Amino acid sequence: MSNPTLATVITGASSGIGATLARQLAQEEAQALVLVARRQDRLDELAAELKQQHGRRVEVIALDLEQPGAASRLMTTVKALGLEVDTLVNNAGFGINDRFGDMALDRVQGMMQLNMVALTELCHAVLPGMRARRQGRIMNIASVAAFQACPRFAVYGATKSYVLMFSEALAAEEKRNGIRVTAVCPGATDTAFHDIAGNHGTFVSKLMDTPQTVASSALSALRGGRPVVVTGLLNKPLPFFIRLLPRAIVTWFAGILVEREKTA
Ligand SMILES: NC(=O)c1ccc[n+]([C@@H]2O[C@H](COP(=O)([O-])OP(=O)(O)OC[C@H]3O[C@@H](n4cnc5c(N)ncnc54)[C@H](OP(=O)(O)O)[C@@H]3O)[C@@H](O)[C@H]2O)c1
């Protein structure tokens, strides 16, 4: 059998930050791309655009990563395509702006499955190949929500704290094996995330970065081997100030930022 082709797998590539990362990667790097999300039509459209504009090999895998076992099905499909993962971008994720006790349990479970479990399983699946080649890159999309408790985003914030802590530990463990791991912490970014979360009319939704700025900072951090990057000039000092302030004040303020305006 011929050697597998090295590929970049991007989850959540059908919109927002994931689609933007795919466009920037297709422009700047030569690897085959694998685009993953649930909406096949949007992935097909993006794949056609990238093939036409950059002449890249682009594969589409339509998959619901909230389903248990989805990560393993994804890796089986990638292998069957004759591809080996050199770069994994764990970007798919969502949040909901609501009080935890008012949220449907199945949405909470889906969020934890997608934001944490699928991400972790995908990292676990790609490590053996990367270790054997002594080369590989993993980008995990966390959030500035990772740095403090987030009222109205209690579970979402906690999933992103998990992503940040897990990724930093993984970066430290795998450096000796030639594998780079970067946790990306964007602030509010102008994507469909806020429609899905029900975040409009909140203070944070008025201070958005573009997905283009987030994607280029994320890629330069990945290429530079930085374990953590906070994207956006206004967001960069946040972790420093959060460490200085009393936790109760930080938690209260985080809640204010995502409180929805009252409608009459
Ligand atoms: N936008 C922000 O303000 C912000 C800030 C910090 C961090 N982030 C993080 O950035 C990442 C990307 O979000 P975004 O802002 O680009 O939002 P987005 O435009 O809503 O993109 C989310 C992506 O995840 C995919 N996805 C959602 N559920 C999925 C599932 N069950 N299975 C497979 N794919 C699924 C969506 O595709 P389908 O619907 O087609 O499946 C879509 O491609 C997320 O991890 C988010 O938490 C966003």
Side-chain angles (χ1 to χ4, degrees), residues 14-15 17 38-39 64-66 91 156 160 189 191 194:
S14 62
S15 70
I17 297 169
R38 290 166 302 181
R39 287 170 293 176
D64 182 352
L65 286 167
E66 284 173 51
N91 162 77
Y156 175 76
K160 294 301 182 180
T189 309
T191 69
H194 300 278

